[in-house]
Amino acid sequence: MGEGESNGLAGQYFDAAIGLLRTVRDTEGGRIAEAGTLIADTVAAGGRIFCFGAGHSSLPAQDTVYRAGGLAVMNLLSVPGVVGVDVMPATLGSALERVDGLAAAVLDSSPVRAGDVLVIISLSGRNPLPVEMAMNARALGLKVIGLTSVEYADGTKSRHVSGTYLKDHCDLVLDSHIPVGDAELTAPGVEAPFAPASTVVTSAVMQAVVATAAGALAERGIDPPLLRSGNVDGGHDWNGRVMREYADRIFYRH
């Protein structure tokens, strides 16, 4: 593959990702604002915020936690073996997403309580783990924001016994508009489609939600609990103050 062809594919990928970002901006803007407002409402009321995703869907969740420029009160709801691809073998994480009852066990042993918000990220939304996570969280009195691709629900079969998807058990659904298969490019001589964009798009949606929440808090006269980079002068002291002030709602330090 020559340099020109390689650059062409890179450009095509950027164009595809930018196109998806524009679609999400134009079609999901109202729901993103609603999600940010819900998080602001919860923070203002003394509630806590949790994010969950399995496999690569965990990356956008992790990207909001303990993040410079982000809200200090964003917490990762971790399920051992499914957060990322560090488990060995990596395929075990995919298998655990299909285990019935795992979500209930995780929630029962977590610090979540009624009135909190749980953001559940699942590209397909078809596996038992995200479906049951949403169902059980709402039963416990949490508000659930689902970030998923509605197209997957329309184009695949649910793996949950109920035949439902994540989108069916949320208080608010944000559609990533990622096509089934999560691969944006094809090329001669390449048998499989390639170049996934779900992480780019989903991470952008999450940051847009957090930004909206910070702005909504400021509009109410509440100083949003934002973290600064530890690599700028004064950042460490700033973060220490914020973490002390919101210590009862930060769980990644315990």
Side-chain angles (χ1 to χ4, degrees), residues 3-252:
E3 182 179 352
E5 186 177 354
S6 176
N7 289 338
L9 288 173
Q12 289 176 40
Y13 176 77
F14 280 115
D15 288 344
I18 290 168
L20 284 165
L21 288 168
R22 285 175 173 158
T23 296
V24 172
R25 178 197 63 188
D26 295 343
T27 62
E28 302 300 311
R31 284 178 285 273
I32 288 172
E34 189 177 347
T37 300
L38 177 57
I39 288 176
D41 290 343
T42 305
V43 173
R48 294 88 61 79
I49 314 298
F50 297 88
C51 299
F52 166 76
H56 288 94
S57 288
S58 178
L59 298 178
Q62 294 181 56
D63 193 44
T64 65
V65 178
Y66 188 49
R67 180 64 193 254
L71 292 172
V73 293
M74 304 295 290
N75 297 282
L76 186 69
L77 183 65
S78 180
V79 179
V82 306
V83 180
V85 293
D86 57 333
V87 63
M88 293 295 289
T91 51
L92 175 61
S94 298
L96 289 174
E97 287 187 65
R98 305 181 190 185
V99 174
D100 295 328
L102 179 57
V106 168
L107 287 170
D108 286 345
S109 60
S110 77
V112 302
R113 65 188 183 193
D116 292 345
V117 167
L118 174 60
V119 182
I120 301 176
I121 304 171
S122 175
L123 178 58
S124 71
R126 69 190 296 225
N127 287 314
L129 183 55
V131 172
E132 293 181 1
M133 189 73 75
M135 295 172 68
N136 283 277
R138 292 180 85 190
L140 292 171
L142 279 74
K143 294 291 186 181
V144 175
I145 300 170
L147 178 44
T148 187
S149 169
V150 174
E151 186 173 329
Y152 262 88
D154 294 337
T156 63
K157 182 179 179 180
S158 171
R159 291 187 174 123
H160 189 254
V161 64
S162 67
T164 60
Y165 299 79
L166 169 62
K167 71 177 184 65
D168 299 316
H169 304 284
C170 300
D171 297 282
L172 179 62
V173 175
L174 305 177
D175 186 358
S176 65
H177 292 266
I178 299 297
V180 175
D182 191 19
E184 296 302 318
L185 301 183
T186 59
V190 182
E191 293 189 12
F194 56 100
S198 60
T199 304
V200 172
V201 174
T202 308
S203 290
V205 171
M206 288 299 298
Q207 294 300 339
V209 169
V210 172
T212 301
L217 287 168
E219 288 174 358
R220 304 175 196 192
I222 300 172
D223 188 17
L226 294 168
L227 296 174
R228 292 179 180 267
S229 171
N231 295 313
V232 300
D233 293 342
H236 180 75
D237 291 338
W238 172 284
N239 292 341
R241 175 186 61 79
V242 172
M243 288 185 178
R244 286 191 298 273
E245 184 176 347
Y246 286 87
D248 61 327
R249 293 185 249 178
I250 295 174
F251 299 96
Y252 48 83

